[in-house]
Amino acid sequence: MKQFVSPSDPTSQEPSSDRARRGKAALKTQAVETPSWAYGNSGTRFKVFAQQGVPRTPQEKLEDAAQVHAFTGVAPTVALHIPWDKVEDYAALAKFAEERGVKLGAINSNTFQDDAYKLGSICHPDASVRRKALDHLLECVDIMDATGSTDLKLWFADGTNYPGQDDLRARQDRLAEGLSEVYDRLGDGQRMLLEYKFFEPAFYSTDVPDWGTAYAHCLKLGPQAQVVVDTGHHAPGTNIEFIVATLLRENKLGGFDFNSRFYADDDLMVGAADPFQLFRIMYEVIRGGGFTPDVAFMLDQCHNIEAKIPAIIRSVMNVQEATAKALLVDRDALSAAQASGDVLDANAVLMDAYNTDVRPLLCEVREELGLDADPIGAYKRSGWAEKIVAERVGGEQAGWGA
């Protein structure tokens, strides 16, 4: 195998080999949660594209997720989406997952796929619709109790399309009231993770459009409410790493939904559009003390034209690569350059880490974990893709139904 070499700054107090060694140790502890819906069929706003071998049940999604974990070693949990993953016995589903080497992770609610939610869910002007949405969110907490999940992840499509359509302040009041009721239902060790999205599907106003709105509501709710940063939910040019740094500073960063975007919220593979941005985000996570189980690294992606399982494996590898580069930043040299006002040297420290080929390092990490150095190649050789195409015949494939 090619020898891993990291750039070394003679002014640094820590040799590059020591940073690489610490980086390897940290990478072995990393965990990336995969989403159940990414294993199902998805597509554009106009057409969902079916693929052979796609899961038909939550159990088959978990079987595929277990393959991702088996070949990467760092994808031990699977997020569920209700009602897409609804079953009669959630404790049995949790046991099914554990028997295959994974666990159930965050529970994601759905308050956007019902005719009643045309004008919103917990922000809707009709109290009966708000009650319907809240009952669903409380059901999701019940599911958390049954599965042992700790995170309730909320995203609302609520908003308006026209000026005057509804009272903007009243909608914030309804939002606060609904979130408070759900928050009060949380048990010990459970969290509410509030996601934001600056537009879509409501194009005049969105009720949770940005990190500031999400932060304000979470701050008022209490310590068990934190913000989720979806990397696709920002206007072009937004400095996402600044948001990450600020939320970490305030102890309000609950997790990430990792994906990429070329236009609006594409939910493409993380690191596909701007791997340098992913590196910058991961550096702020590490610098801010967020590389812990308290900050959830989750994927939120739709694999429309590419094979599902290899795409998810590649996504996990992309997160690993960005993390490895961020761990190699010479923070002593960076701090010295920043303190002296040397703009070029400070930037060069970051670029040295980013431009390092960390693939040999990650191969070493996998081999030391007893895994194949090439997860994609190992998956292709496993025969799983052919097995599921042959066996998953008939029935209704999972998907989001557009």
Side-chain angles (χ1 to χ4, degrees):
M1 181 189 303
K2 182 173 75 171
Q3 179 65 36
F4 169 75
V5 178
S6 173
S8 180
D9 185 335
T11 66
S12 173
Q13 298 177 6
E14 182 184 37
S16 59
S17 59
D18 289 344
R19 291 198 301 278
R21 186 164 51 251
R22 287 192 301 105
K24 284 172 66 175
L27 288 164
K28 291 176 183 178
T29 70
Q30 188 169 30
V32 180
E33 184 163 292
T34 69
S36 68
W37 54 95
Y39 298 97
N41 284 325
S42 57
T44 67
R45 307 197 186 289
F46 309 106
K47 169 67 177 173
V48 170
F49 303 107
Q51 295 184 18
Q52 290 183 306
V54 163
R56 298 160 296 179
T57 65
Q59 289 82 359
E60 290 181 348
K61 294 178 185 178
L62 292 172
E63 289 177 340
D64 286 355
Q67 294 297 306
V68 174
H69 183 47
F71 291 109
T72 64
V74 294
T77 58
V78 187
L80 297 186
H81 199 292
I82 308 301
W84 296 343
D85 296 316
K86 197 160 189 172
V87 295
E88 291 295 324
D89 189 335
Y90 289 99
L93 187 66
K95 182 178 179 182
F96 181 91
E98 290 181 7
E99 288 172 347
R100 281 146 188 83
V102 292
K103 293 185 177 180
L104 301 183
I107 303 300
N108 292 254
S109 61
N110 184 322
T111 56
F112 52 86
Q113 279 193 316
D114 191 293
D115 286 345
Y117 300 142
K118 181 170 66 174
L119 300 179
S121 60
I122 68 170
C123 299
H124 198 287
D126 188 325
S128 65
V129 176
R130 297 200 298 274
R131 187 69 259 163
K132 174 185 175 72
L134 283 168
D135 287 344
H136 167 67
L137 301 184
L138 295 173
E139 176 195 16
C140 288
V141 182
D142 292 340
I143 294 170
M144 292 170 64
D145 292 340
T147 61
S149 302
T150 59
D151 293 343
L152 172 68
K153 190 144 70 69
L154 306 179
W155 172 73
F156 299 106
D158 292 33
T160 65
N161 280 345
Y162 294 96
Q165 176 182 324
D166 200 359
D167 187 302
L168 298 181
R169 178 162 176 169
R171 293 182 73 89
Q172 288 298 304
D173 291 340
R174 298 168 200 151
L175 175 63
E177 182 180 355
L179 291 176
S180 179
E181 181 176 341
V182 179
Y183 184 86
D184 289 342
R185 169 65 182 81
L186 295 176
D188 293 340
Q190 294 180 337
R191 301 187 298 177
M192 172 191 291
L193 303 182
L194 182 58
E195 191 174 347
Y196 57 90
K197 189 173 186 178
F198 79 110
F199 80 101
E200 188 198 40
F203 288 95
Y204 171 65
S205 69
T206 301
D207 290 317
V208 190
D210 50 48
W211 72 272
T213 304
Y215 170 75
H217 282 283
C218 289
L219 187 64
K220 188 172 183 179
L221 287 166
Q224 289 173 262
Q226 293 180 303
V227 180
V228 169
V229 174
D230 185 308
T231 52
H233 286 189
H234 303 85
T238 299
N239 189 315
I240 299 175
E241 56 267 33
F242 171 81
I243 298 170
V244 170
T246 302
L247 290 173
L248 277 171
R249 184 173 180 270
E250 299 295 324
N251 196 32
K252 280 295 181 182
L253 179 63
F256 289 95
D257 274 0
F258 282 128
N259 53 60
S260 282
R261 49 167 290 171
F262 284 95
Y263 173 77
D265 181 26
D266 294 329
D267 282 349
L268 301 176
M269 287 172 51
V270 58
D274 189 350
F276 184 47
Q277 180 190 68
L278 182 59
F279 159 77
R280 300 193 311 265
I281 290 170
M282 290 309 306
Y283 173 72
E284 288 301 330
V285 170
I286 292 164
R287 183 259 178 271
F291 194 66
T292 73
D294 293 332
V295 176
F297 293 171
M298 299 174 279
L299 303 181
D300 181 12
Q301 302 177 174
C302 290
H303 303 292
N304 302 338
I305 59 175
E306 64 269 33
K308 316 291 182 183
I309 299 174
I312 297 170
I313 292 175
R314 177 65 65 188
S315 298
V316 172
M317 294 170 65
N318 288 350
V319 174
Q320 287 181 297
E321 187 168 325
T323 305
K325 292 182 176 187
L327 286 164
L328 290 178
V329 172
D330 187 336
R331 292 173 62 180
D332 291 336
L334 182 60
S335 295
Q338 291 170 341
S340 67
D342 194 325
V343 175
L344 291 179
D345 273 4
N347 177 250
V349 173
L350 280 182
M351 295 310 299
D352 281 346
Y354 177 69
N355 288 323
T356 301
D357 184 356
V358 296
R359 290 174 296 177
L361 174 68
L362 287 167
C363 287
E364 292 178 13
V365 168
R366 295 180 187 116
E367 288 175 338
E368 290 174 10
L369 290 173
L371 303 172
D372 193 294
D374 177 13
I376 293 288
Y379 171 73
K380 289 179 178 179
R381 293 189 297 271
S382 73
W384 184 260
E386 294 78 13
K387 173 182 168 65
I388 59 178
V389 168
E391 293 183 355
R392 294 176 184 173
V393 178
E396 184 176 348
Q397 290 184 324
W400 42 262

